[in-house]
PDB file of all heavy atoms in Angstrom:
ATOM      1  N   ALA A  95      66.337  78.312  55.035  1.00 85.00           N
ATOM      2  CA  ALA A  95      65.053  78.783  55.550  1.00 85.00           C
ATOM      3  C   ALA A  95      63.902  78.113  54.822  1.00 85.00           C
ATOM      4  O   ALA A  95      62.881  77.767  55.430  1.00 85.00           O
ATOM      5  CB  ALA A  95      64.957  80.300  55.414  1.00 85.00           C
ATOM      6  N   GLU A  96      64.047  77.903  53.501  1.00 90.00           N
ATOM      7  CA  GLU A  96      62.998  77.216  52.744  1.00 90.00           C
ATOM      8  C   GLU A  96      62.826  75.777  53.224  1.00 90.00           C
ATOM      9  O   GLU A  96      61.710  75.277  53.336  1.00 90.00           O
ATOM     10  CB  GLU A  96      63.334  77.223  51.254  1.00 90.00           C
ATOM     11  CG  GLU A  96      63.103  78.547  50.571  1.00 90.00           C
ATOM     12  CD  GLU A  96      61.657  78.993  50.661  1.00 90.00           C
ATOM     13  OE1 GLU A  96      60.823  78.524  49.857  1.00 90.00           O
ATOM     14  OE2 GLU A  96      61.343  79.797  51.558  1.00 90.00           O
ATOM     15  N   ALA A  97      63.932  75.106  53.506  1.00 90.00           N
ATOM     16  CA  ALA A  97      63.856  73.737  54.026  1.00 90.00           C
ATOM     17  C   ALA A  97      63.121  73.709  55.360  1.00 90.00           C
ATOM     18  O   ALA A  97      62.330  72.801  55.633  1.00 90.00           O
ATOM     19  CB  ALA A  97      65.263  73.154  54.173  1.00 90.00           C
ATOM     20  N   GLU A  98      63.368  74.732  56.184  1.00 86.00           N
ATOM     21  CA  GLU A  98      62.680  74.812  57.469  1.00 86.00           C
ATOM     22  C   GLU A  98      61.190  75.067  57.266  1.00 86.00           C
ATOM     23  O   GLU A  98      60.350  74.502  57.986  1.00 86.00           O
ATOM     24  CB  GLU A  98      63.313  75.904  58.330  1.00 86.00           C
ATOM     25  CG  GLU A  98      64.735  75.564  58.763  1.00 86.00           C
ATOM     26  CD  GLU A  98      65.448  76.738  59.407  1.00 86.00           C
ATOM     27  OE1 GLU A  98      64.850  77.841  59.467  1.00 86.00           O
ATOM     28  OE2 GLU A  98      66.601  76.554  59.845  1.00 86.00           O
ATOM     29  N   HIS A  99      60.843  75.904  56.293  1.00 87.00           N
ATOM     30  CA  HIS A  99      59.427  76.133  55.981  1.00 87.00           C
ATOM     31  C   HIS A  99      58.751  74.838  55.565  1.00 87.00           C
ATOM     32  O   HIS A  99      57.630  74.537  55.994  1.00 87.00           O
ATOM     33  CB  HIS A  99      59.296  77.149  54.834  1.00 87.00           C
ATOM     34  CG  HIS A  99      59.637  78.552  55.240  1.00 87.00           C
ATOM     35  ND1 HIS A  99      59.979  79.518  54.327  1.00 87.00           N
ATOM     36  CD2 HIS A  99      59.687  79.150  56.447  1.00 87.00           C
ATOM     37  CE1 HIS A  99      60.229  80.652  54.965  1.00 87.00           C
ATOM     38  NE2 HIS A  99      60.056  80.453  56.251  1.00 87.00           N
ATOM     39  N   LEU A 100      59.417  74.065  54.711  1.00 93.00           N
ATOM     40  CA  LEU A 100      58.835  72.801  54.261  1.00 93.00           C
ATOM     41  C   LEU A 100      58.712  71.814  55.419  1.00 93.00           C
ATOM     42  O   LEU A 100      57.763  71.024  55.467  1.00 93.00           O
ATOM     43  CB  LEU A 100      59.679  72.203  53.139  1.00 93.00           C
ATOM     44  CG  LEU A 100      59.620  72.941  51.798  1.00 93.00           C
ATOM     45  CD1 LEU A 100      60.538  72.263  50.790  1.00 93.00           C
ATOM     46  CD2 LEU A 100      58.199  72.995  51.258  1.00 93.00           C
ATOM     47  N   GLY A 101      59.656  71.864  56.352  1.00 90.00           N
ATOM     48  CA  GLY A 101      59.559  71.009  57.525  1.00 90.00           C
ATOM     49  C   GLY A 101      58.334  71.340  58.355  1.00 90.00           C
ATOM     50  O   GLY A 101      57.611  70.437  58.817  1.00 90.00           O
ATOM     51  N   ARG A 102      58.080  72.643  58.538  1.00 89.00           N
ATOM     52  CA  ARG A 102      56.890  73.052  59.285  1.00 89.00           C
ATOM     53  C   ARG A 102      55.615  72.698  58.532  1.00 89.00           C
ATOM     54  O   ARG A 102      54.604  72.314  59.134  1.00 89.00           O
ATOM     55  CB  ARG A 102      56.953  74.546  59.584  1.00 89.00           C
ATOM     56  CG  ARG A 102      57.981  74.911  60.639  1.00 89.00           C
ATOM     57  CD  ARG A 102      57.798  76.336  61.138  1.00 89.00           C
ATOM     58  NE  ARG A 102      58.144  77.313  60.128  1.00 89.00           N
ATOM     59  CZ  ARG A 102      59.375  77.785  59.943  1.00 89.00           C
ATOM     60  NH1 ARG A 102      60.379  77.359  60.694  1.00 89.00           N
ATOM     61  NH2 ARG A 102      59.625  78.696  59.027  1.00 89.00           N
ATOM     62  N   LEU A 103      55.665  72.819  57.205  1.00 93.00           N
ATOM     63  CA  LEU A 103      54.497  72.450  56.403  1.00 93.00           C
ATOM     64  C   LEU A 103      54.223  70.955  56.505  1.00 93.00           C
ATOM     65  O   LEU A 103      53.065  70.520  56.570  1.00 93.00           O
ATOM     66  CB  LEU A 103      54.727  72.855  54.942  1.00 93.00           C
ATOM     67  CG  LEU A 103      53.569  72.607  53.969  1.00 93.00           C
ATOM     68  CD1 LEU A 103      52.310  73.315  54.423  1.00 93.00           C
ATOM     69  CD2 LEU A 103      53.960  73.074  52.569  1.00 93.00           C
ATOM     70  N   THR A 104      55.277  70.162  56.544  1.00 93.00           N
ATOM     71  CA  THR A 104      55.123  68.719  56.725  1.00 93.00           C
ATOM     72  C   THR A 104      54.400  68.414  58.040  1.00 93.00           C
ATOM     73  O   THR A 104      53.473  67.593  58.084  1.00 93.00           O
ATOM     74  CB  THR A 104      56.503  68.030  56.723  1.00 93.00           C
ATOM     75  OG1 THR A 104      57.138  68.268  55.467  1.00 93.00           O
ATOM     76  CG2 THR A 104      56.361  66.528  56.940  1.00 93.00           C
ATOM     77  N   ASP A 105      54.814  69.083  59.104  1.00 92.00           N
ATOM     78  CA  ASP A 105      54.151  68.892  60.402  1.00 92.00           C
ATOM     79  C   ASP A 105      52.698  69.355  60.346  1.00 92.00           C
ATOM     80  O   ASP A 105      51.799  68.703  60.902  1.00 92.00           O
ATOM     81  CB  ASP A 105      54.892  69.658  61.490  1.00 92.00           C
ATOM     82  CG  ASP A 105      56.284  69.109  61.744  1.00 92.00           C
ATOM     83  OD1 ASP A 105      56.540  67.932  61.394  1.00 92.00           O
ATOM     84  OD2 ASP A 105      57.137  69.854  62.278  1.00 92.00           O
ATOM     85  N   THR A 236      58.358  78.340  47.325  1.00 97.00           N
ATOM     86  CA  THR A 236      58.447  76.888  47.402  1.00 97.00           C
ATOM     87  C   THR A 236      57.298  76.309  48.209  1.00 97.00           C
ATOM     88  O   THR A 236      56.670  75.316  47.807  1.00 97.00           O
ATOM     89  CB  THR A 236      59.782  76.473  48.043  1.00 97.00           C
ATOM     90  OG1 THR A 236      60.846  77.192  47.431  1.00 97.00           O
ATOM     91  CG2 THR A 236      60.016  74.983  47.897  1.00 97.00           C
ATOM     92  N   GLY A 237      57.019  76.902  49.369  1.00 96.00           N
ATOM     93  CA  GLY A 237      55.959  76.396  50.241  1.00 96.00           C
ATOM     94  C   GLY A 237      54.584  76.464  49.608  1.00 96.00           C
ATOM     95  O   GLY A 237      53.853  75.452  49.570  1.00 96.00           O
ATOM     96  N   PRO A 238      54.151  77.625  49.083  1.00 98.00           N
ATOM     97  CA  PRO A 238      52.847  77.685  48.424  1.00 98.00           C
ATOM     98  C   PRO A 238      52.724  76.743  47.237  1.00 98.00           C
ATOM     99  O   PRO A 238      51.653  76.171  47.005  1.00 98.00           O
ATOM    100  CB  PRO A 238      52.757  79.159  47.984  1.00 98.00           C
ATOM    101  CG  PRO A 238      53.570  79.886  49.004  1.00 98.00           C
ATOM    102  CD  PRO A 238      54.727  78.968  49.305  1.00 98.00           C
ATOM    103  N   ALA A 240      54.246  73.828  46.935  1.00 98.00           N
ATOM    104  CA  ALA A 240      54.064  72.498  47.510  1.00 98.00           C
ATOM    105  C   ALA A 240      52.634  72.321  48.000  1.00 98.00           C
ATOM    106  O   ALA A 240      52.009  71.268  47.783  1.00 98.00           O
ATOM    107  CB  ALA A 240      55.048  72.283  48.658  1.00 98.00           C
TER     108      ALA A 240
END
Side-chain angles (χ1 to χ4, degrees):
E96 284 300 279
E98 293 170 357
H99 288 160
L100 289 178
R102 288 193 290 272
L103 183 57
T104 299
D105 294 339
T236 312

